[in-house]
Amino acid sequence: MYHFTFTAAEGQPLPPQGFIPRPAKRTGPNAMQLPPRSTIFLQGYGRAPQYRVVEGCVALSQSLPDGRRQIIDMVGPGRLLGIGVGERNPCSAETLSYVTLEPVLEVEHGDIERGLEEMVLRAQAHATLLGRKTAPERVASAILDLAVQFVRVSRSKRGTICFNLYPTRGELADWLGLTVETVSRCFTKLKRAGLIDFRHPEIVTLLQPAALAEIAAGNRPLDPTHRM
């Protein structure tokens, strides 16, 4: 599912199936339900078990000794946590919403291979985002990525996409390498341009996904005075 954001950023067509809400998945007897701001595992500690996210949003982050942190990924339903190499956790994992996790006791080789490939590709795309994209391009890319992972059933007009925005503006800033003020300004400009709407901070509607993808790809400048 994550391929949407980064293929769109390369100027390729948007796959409509990327915005189909996932059906509710049955959980086993060992499933864990955690409230927001719960720590799943910590950077530098012994390797945590592997989990699959059933519902909700988890932020993966790395911290410097002085307390500064970089959020390196946002993980949604269907994705694995805790995969990798080494005896210690390379990052920390924290819930940003109510989260349901299911322990993965036996991981098939194919699942590990796909999970590692996904992790590498997302890390590469994130490095490009931080190193080369402008602030509006970063925010547009993040909105598209989160829309794919957390799309919800919407009664809005056809062609619009509604999703749960679990990260705060501060967490988005830590993910995108921006200040909170810059993230907020970009959201306001995207709204004024008629690309997104949000009546509540935690629910965002994509009014023109294709135009937003053009901005994320750097193919179209963001002009908040012009409604597309």
Side-chain angles (χ1 to χ4, degrees):
M1 299 295 287
Y2 81 99
H3 291 290
F4 168 83
T5 299
F6 305 118
T7 54
E10 294 165 2
Q12 297 179 12
L14 309 181
Q17 69 273 17
F19 288 118
I20 298 175
R22 294 177 177 86
K25 182 180 178 181
R26 290 186 176 183
T27 57
N30 297 322
M32 305 188 311
Q33 295 184 331
L34 302 174
R37 315 302 156 188
S38 297
T39 299
I40 301 172
F41 52 79
L42 286 172
Q43 175 182 338
Y45 283 68
R47 173 69 67 177
Q50 293 179 339
Y51 300 99
R52 189 179 301 277
V53 179
V54 179
E55 294 291 342
C57 177
V58 176
L60 301 182
S61 64
Q62 292 182 332
S63 298
L64 296 175
D66 62 4
R68 287 176 293 167
R69 75 165 181 174
Q70 172 69 54
I71 291 179
I72 57 177
D73 203 1
M74 300 286 181
V75 182
R79 294 178 56 197
L80 293 173
L81 291 176
I83 59 175
V85 296
E87 298 181 354
R88 298 186 179 277
N89 300 319
C91 60
S92 298
E94 179 187 15
T95 63
L96 301 188
S97 66
Y98 286 96
V99 168
T100 301
L101 297 178
E102 195 156 49
V104 181
L105 302 180
E106 294 184 7
V107 185
E108 295 183 2
H109 177 75
D111 287 341
I112 295 178
E113 193 173 66
R114 284 188 294 271
L116 289 173
E117 179 185 15
E118 178 181 57
M119 184 171 64
V120 169
L121 290 176
R122 287 184 68 89
Q124 291 173 340
H126 192 235
T128 301
L129 178 146
L130 293 177
R132 292 300 176 198
K133 290 195 174 187
T134 66
E137 291 166 4
R138 296 183 197 188
V139 173
S141 297
I143 289 173
L144 289 169
D145 183 85
L146 295 172
V148 171
Q149 295 200 77
F150 305 109
V151 62
R152 53 184 282 168
V153 176
S154 174
R155 297 180 180 178
S156 302
K157 65 180 181 179
R158 187 175 182 180
T160 63
I161 307 298
C162 188
F163 73 97
N164 291 314
L165 182 66
Y166 294 119
T168 65
R169 298 295 189 267
E171 287 159 348
L172 287 171
D174 286 348
W175 187 27
L176 302 176
L178 301 170
T179 65
V180 177
E181 293 77 15
T182 299
V183 171
S184 296
R185 281 197 299 268
C186 287
F187 266 84
T188 299
K189 289 179 180 179
L190 290 168
K191 183 176 181 180
R192 288 177 179 172
L195 298 178
I196 65 172
D197 191 20
F198 49 92
R199 296 179 182 176
H200 303 283
E202 69 278 6
I203 300 176
V204 175
T205 301
L206 276 61
L207 302 176
Q208 299 190 52
L212 192 66
E214 288 291 305
I215 292 174
N219 295 330
R220 178 182 297 186
L222 172 58
D223 182 359
T225 64
H226 174 63
R227 295 183 69 85
M228 298 181 182

